[in-house]
Amino acid sequence: MAAVCVIGSNSFSGASFCASLLKRGIDVLAISRSAEAHEVFLPYRWCKTDARLEFEQIDLNSDLDQLMKLLNRRKPQIIFNCAAQSMVGESWDKPDDWMRTNVVTVARLAERLRHLDFLDRYVHITTPEVYGSTDGWITEEAAVNPSTPYAVSRAAGDMLFKIYRETFGLPVVSTRAANVYGPGQPLYRIIPRTIFFLLTGRKLQLHGGGVSTRSFIHMDDVSDATWKIATDAPIGETYHISTNRIVSIRELVEMLCDMLDVRFEDAVDVAPERLGKDSAYWLSSDKMRGLGWSDRVSLEAGLGEVIDWARQHLADLQTQPFTYIH
């Protein structure tokens, strides 16, 4: 099979998905605006087959022409786009940055992609943040109701690809995954951050007391679903990737405290809730399961994997930032 392209390859989801592609024997053209991070955060570099991955540092905001020259030379049949300006809370600080990357650059990318005659499928990795806080289980037909600049920017990007599919036939399929986790995730995310703080004796700030509820899904399950969507889903469809298990953030932290034999009261301070934080995302994954996919990694088993990864690499992790750097 011709190489596939993964844009946003140095994000957690992108790096983990690249690793899953290499394990399938697929050559990967990996694109990211950032240089490769420390290897502890790059699951594709843990693969014995990582020589089948070609990495190019390209910033879509400023080097889109360079990207298109590369795509026209390599002609990947499938492009996966994991790239976005993420981080919900921080999007309030510089909303124009989020709009530039997630709306303006997305529009410029869509316009160029529609002219690629070799492109069989474009997989748009988006987010349930576009729904705002959900009331019960929702399907892919739910109305968008974004509540942060980040969510607004992603909803706009989603709509751009929708009209490019409808108007120009761009072969788009889209994914919206629940809260993804797994070994190699940056330390500013709730699961690795909690584990790292518990292992190093730092106090964890639990925003709003951790009452918001989420579904946490292991990245391996997300990668399997993403590949199935790329190969089996009809063009134009959107799929939720989620488990059927819902836990509050507090319950999640309590689970990790129990697994690491640390008293919750000793390890956690309650902090004010973040601005615009949604209270719940409950994504129905029935449509995805109709493609023959199912999640396989239990939350307990997945958390155990992240704990093992953190323990194994604790010395390296202590040299890395544990807050988001814009």
Side-chain angles (χ1 to χ4, degrees):
M1 179 176 183
V4 304
C5 177
V6 178
I7 303 173
S9 62
N10 288 349
S11 65
F12 168 64
S13 293
S16 300
F17 184 60
C18 285
S20 76
L21 292 173
L22 293 174
K23 292 172 184 176
R24 292 177 184 272
I26 298 169
D27 293 338
V28 179
L29 174 61
I31 308 294
S32 180
R33 74 176 182 180
S34 60
E36 290 184 301
H38 191 288
E39 189 169 297
V40 72
F41 297 124
L42 288 178
Y44 63 76
R45 291 302 183 202
W46 309 344
C47 300
K48 294 180 180 178
T49 55
D50 69 335
R52 301 184 66 165
L53 180 142
E54 174 191 347
F55 171 69
E56 295 284 347
Q57 185 174 355
I58 299 175
D59 185 346
L60 270 62
N61 285 326
S62 57
D63 301 322
L64 200 52
D65 289 341
Q66 180 185 348
L67 172 66
M68 299 315 296
K69 288 178 183 177
L70 181 61
L71 294 178
N72 278 294
R73 187 167 71 249
R74 292 293 302 271
K75 293 181 168 48
Q77 294 172 316
I78 306 176
I79 297 175
F80 299 87
N81 191 355
C82 305
Q85 187 72 50
S86 60
M87 299 304 291
V88 177
E90 288 77 359
S91 69
W92 291 101
D93 298 330
K94 290 188 175 181
D96 52 325
D97 283 1
W98 270 253
M99 298 300 165
R100 179 184 63 158
T101 300
N102 298 344
V103 183
V104 176
T105 293
V106 160
R108 291 170 175 164
L109 177 63
E111 175 59 24
R112 286 162 172 79
L113 289 175
R114 76 180 180 93
H115 297 289
L116 300 183
D117 58 6
F118 52 81
L119 185 62
D120 291 335
R121 195 63 59 97
Y122 176 80
V123 184
H124 179 56
I125 313 297
T126 179
T127 173
E129 296 275 354
V130 299
Y131 297 122
S133 187
T134 67
D135 182 15
W137 296 96
I138 62 168
T139 70
E140 292 82 354
E141 302 305 315
V144 298
N145 185 30
S147 57
T148 65
Y150 166 67
V152 168
S153 71
R154 297 310 306 274
D158 294 356
M159 293 301 102
L160 277 164
F161 278 114
K162 178 177 182 295
I163 64 172
Y164 267 74
R165 175 188 62 81
E166 294 171 348
T167 306
F168 301 114
L170 187 66
V172 178
V173 288
S174 300
T175 77
R176 291 180 177 137
N179 286 62
V180 176
Y181 75 98
Q185 193 170 31
L187 297 178
Y188 52 79
R189 297 297 187 182
I190 182 63
I191 288 176
R193 183 182 180 87
T194 300
I195 292 169
F196 179 71
F197 275 36
L198 295 178
L199 289 175
T200 56
R202 292 174 169 84
K203 277 273 191 176
L204 179 73
Q205 298 290 306
L206 191 60
H207 293 281
V211 297
S212 59
T213 57
R214 298 288 188 270
S215 168
F216 290 90
I217 184 165
H218 195 281
M219 190 61 217
D220 286 353
D221 287 330
V222 175
S223 293
D224 289 345
T226 303
W227 181 246
K228 194 158 194 64
I229 289 167
T231 54
D232 295 350
I235 289 172
E237 295 296 324
T238 298
Y239 290 85
H240 290 164
I241 307 172
S242 179
T243 73
N244 292 325
R245 181 176 178 181
I246 301 295
V247 298
S248 70
I249 303 299
R250 182 185 177 100
E251 289 170 334
L252 175 76
V253 173
E254 288 175 340
M255 287 177 63
L256 291 169
C257 287
D258 288 342
M259 295 174 77
L260 289 168
D261 197 25
V262 177
R263 290 181 71 249
F264 177 88
E265 295 77 9
D266 296 335
V268 175
D269 285 331
V270 174
E273 189 58 277
R274 294 200 317 258
L275 186 65
K277 183 177 180 181
D278 297 319
S279 62
Y281 299 126
W282 295 18
L283 304 179
S284 168
S285 56
D286 289 348
K287 183 177 176 180
M288 184 68 232
R289 295 174 194 278
L291 283 182
W293 170 90
S294 63
D295 54 301
R296 296 173 296 158
V297 184
S298 71
L299 183 57
E300 289 79 5
L303 294 178
E305 284 186 21
V306 184
I307 289 172
D308 290 344
W309 163 80
R311 281 177 164 155
Q312 181 180 353
H313 299 285
L314 190 58
D316 287 329
L317 292 176
Q318 294 196 73
T319 69
Q320 301 300 308
F322 53 82
T323 55
Y324 172 75
I325 300 173
H326 181 49

